[in-house]
């Protein structure tokens, strides 16, 4: 009887790790991302050359550079 109750207790406490949090705290997954010039367009050789020509190594890193 003791072994059975110990097993049930161990399973019940371990299952709480997979249960959702009860406090309802959620974090936003929105990334504020600026999409590129060629999104939803054909990404061919001329588009790649255009993006490469527009790249400026002296400007700070951004989503469009």
């Amino acid at each position: 009887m003791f072994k059975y109750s110990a097993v049930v207790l161990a399973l019940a406490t371990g299952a709480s790790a997979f249960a959702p949090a009860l406090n309802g705290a959620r974090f936003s997954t929105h990334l504020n991302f600026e999409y590129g010039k060629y999104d939803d367009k054909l990404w061919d050789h001329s588009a790649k050359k255009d993006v490469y020509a527009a790249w400026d190594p002296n400007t700070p890193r951004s989503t469009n550079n």
Side-chain angles (χ1 to χ4, degrees):
M1 178 71 177
F2 178 72
K3 288 182 182 180
Y4 178 73
S5 60
V7 169
V8 169
L9 182 64
L11 288 174
T13 57
S16 66
F18 302 105
L22 298 176
N23 60 3
R26 296 191 61 168
F27 296 101
S28 174
T29 56
H30 190 266
L31 299 177
N32 296 329
F33 186 76
E34 296 177 22
Y35 291 105
K37 182 178 177 180
Y38 289 98
D39 282 348
D40 297 328
K41 295 181 183 175
L42 182 63
W43 181 243
D44 58 352
H45 186 66
S46 61
K48 292 176 185 178
K49 285 174 43 176
D50 180 44
V51 169
Y52 184 74
W55 179 64
D56 183 13
N58 296 323
T59 58
R61 180 66 66 112
S62 70
T63 55
N64 290 326
N65 184 21

